């Protein structure tokens, strides 16, 4: 009697779809693959679960763009919104419908490509493919409003004019006397009700070194507190923690966090292992662009330096550099 085959998973670019799509071929499942739900996990990382917006701490279940089924095998088709978050290296593929966890190595041959904000491959609605509703017929034009009759001034207004002038003279005299009195007494002290300059918040990172990443996010007073802890852990060599906290702060809209992420990916000054093995010019360009849009003054200079680097690489024949220039500097 033949021993049952061991389930395996293998990734390759999908030859039937545009750049940025991947095909996960599954063999030895023992039954047809009919459910497109899956999870991707990167071992030994604080943000270990791939979610709809990237790597996150909590578990997430995604839905494949398409499913191909066979008697004891199948394939999952993943779109650009999944592939753009994945770097070459070992991963774990979880198939909840089959109760399987399979080792998966993500190759460097999968092209990275975005299709805008359309949620392809993450189980979100594909807005570009939804039929647009028929335009509603315009309502009938409203009749023009009738001009209001011009009100005639009351006859007694002319008689009250001398009294109004006398009252205005009295008020002006009182205001002049008050101004003279205040000027004689010197400058007035600010009222306690006037706005005072904001008091600097205490440095929240003190006492946070023993907290987990999840505890930092839960206890932080605001997004800048998360960013401050990220900088502190980066300086202490805790680069994985810093990466996750930078990502959380950037997702919340903090421009400085996007700049910090761009520096992690930027080939200019890149340091292997802090926390990535190799730079990623596309991710660096994306974060610098978001930081500049968010108003971080540091981002513009770093983005210009990265663009000059990419222009040199593109002139030397790099297709990756040309694609990044075309996407982030149209």
């Amino acid at each position: 009697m033949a021993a049952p085959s061991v389930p395996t998973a293998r990734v390759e670019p999908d030859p039937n779809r545009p750049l940025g799509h991947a095909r996960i071929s599954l063999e030895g499942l023992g039954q047809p693959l009919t459910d497109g739900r899956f999870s991707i996990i990167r071992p030994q990382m604080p943000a270990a679960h791939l979610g709809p917006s990237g790597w996150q701490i909590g578990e997430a279940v995604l839905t494949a763009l398409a499913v191909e089924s066979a008697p004891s095998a199948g394939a999952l088709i993943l779109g650009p919104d999944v592939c753009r978050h994945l770097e070459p290296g070992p991963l774990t593929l979880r198939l909840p419908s089959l109760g399987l966890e399979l080792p998966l190595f993500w190759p460097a041959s999968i092209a990275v490509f975005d299709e805008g904000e359309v949620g392809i491959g993450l189980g979100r609605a594909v807005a570009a493919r939804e039929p647009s509703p028929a335009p509603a017929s315009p309502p009938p034009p409203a009749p023009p409003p009738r001009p209001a009759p011009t009100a005639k001034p009351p006859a007694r207004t002319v008689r009250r004019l001398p009294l109004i002038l006398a009252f205005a003279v009295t008020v002006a005299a009182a205001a002049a006397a008050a101004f003279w009195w205040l000027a004689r007494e010197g400058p007035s002290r600010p009222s306690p009700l006037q706005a005072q300059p904001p008091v600097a918040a205490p440095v929240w990172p003190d006492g946070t070194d023993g907290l987990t990443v999840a505890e930092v996010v839960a206890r932080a007073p605001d997004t800048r507190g998360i960013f401050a802890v990220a900088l502190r852990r980066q300086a202490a060599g805790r680069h994985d923690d810093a990466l996750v906290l930078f990502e959380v702060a950037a997702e919340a809209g903090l421009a400085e966090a996007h700049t910090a992420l761009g520096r992690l990916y930027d080939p200019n000054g890149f340091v292997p292992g802090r926390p990535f093995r190799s730079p990623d010019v596309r991710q660096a360009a994306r974060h610098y662009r978001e930081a500049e849009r968010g108003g971080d003054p540091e981002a513009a200079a770093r983005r210009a330096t990265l663009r000059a680097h990419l222009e040199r690489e593109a002139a030397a024949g790099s297709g990756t550099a040309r694609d990044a220039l075309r996407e982030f500097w149209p």
Side-chain angles (χ1 to χ4, degrees):
M1 180 177 180
S5 58
V6 178
T8 59
R10 179 173 55 87
V11 188
E12 60 185 352
D14 191 332
N16 301 318
R17 288 175 172 83
L19 289 176
H21 291 75
R23 173 190 174 90
I24 302 180
S25 300
L26 302 164
E27 302 288 344
L29 299 180
Q31 56 183 300
L33 178 67
T34 58
D35 193 324
R37 293 176 301 155
F38 69 95
S39 299
I40 291 181
I41 305 165
R42 53 181 183 180
Q44 300 178 352
M45 294 292 286
H49 302 273
L50 183 59
S53 300
W55 294 105
Q56 62 186 45
I57 298 174
E59 296 184 5
V61 177
L62 308 177
T63 303
L65 182 65
V67 179
E68 298 178 3
S69 182
S72 186
L76 298 174
I77 309 302
L78 309 187
D81 279 0
V82 172
C83 298
R84 70 187 183 92
H85 295 294
L86 296 169
E87 297 181 342
L91 301 168
T92 297
L93 175 67
R94 179 178 295 167
L95 302 175
S97 63
L98 301 180
L100 292 177
E101 285 193 1
L102 306 177
L104 181 71
F105 187 88
W106 195 264
S109 58
I110 306 296
V112 177
F113 180 73
D114 273 339
E115 294 189 3
E117 299 299 326
V118 179
I120 296 179
L122 291 178
R124 295 180 289 181
V126 182
R129 298 181 183 176
E130 294 179 355
S132 56
S137 57
R146 296 181 179 178
T150 305
K152 296 182 179 180
R156 299 181 62 183
T157 303
V158 177
R159 297 179 182 179
R160 292 180 180 177
L161 183 59
L163 295 177
I164 295 174
L165 292 175
F167 178 75
V169 171
T170 303
V171 172
F179 178 79
W180 174 83
W181 175 263
L182 293 175
R184 184 175 66 87
E185 291 294 326
S188 60
R189 296 181 179 179
S191 168
L193 297 180
Q194 293 177 352
Q196 301 295 326
V199 179
V203 181
W204 187 72
D206 290 344
T208 63
D209 292 343
L211 300 179
T212 65
V213 170
E215 289 171 339
V216 170
V217 174
R219 300 183 189 182
D222 53 21
T223 305
R224 291 197 172 274
I226 297 175
F227 181 66
V229 177
L231 291 175
R232 183 182 181 95
R233 298 202 174 183
Q234 185 181 49
R238 301 169 66 178
H239 300 291
D240 290 338
D241 284 8
L243 171 63
V244 176
L245 295 173
F246 283 144
E247 289 175 343
V248 172
E251 287 289 336
L254 187 63
E256 292 90 334
H258 279 292
T259 300
L261 286 170
R263 294 181 63 182
L264 295 180
Y265 291 104
D266 195 339
N268 297 302
F270 181 81
V271 180
R274 297 186 182 182
F276 305 115
R277 296 187 300 271
S278 58
D280 188 327
V281 294
R282 184 186 168 281
Q283 291 293 339
R286 180 173 71 88
H287 285 295
Y288 285 157
R289 182 183 65 183
E290 294 303 316
E292 187 174 9
R293 289 176 177 176
D296 184 14
E298 181 185 350
R302 293 191 176 277
R303 188 167 182 244
T305 302
L306 177 61
R307 180 177 184 176
H309 170 83
L310 291 174
E311 288 173 344
R312 292 191 298 269
E313 293 292 316
S318 172
T320 300
R322 285 195 301 269
D323 292 342
L325 288 169
R326 187 182 307 113
E327 182 176 1
F328 296 102
W329 286 272

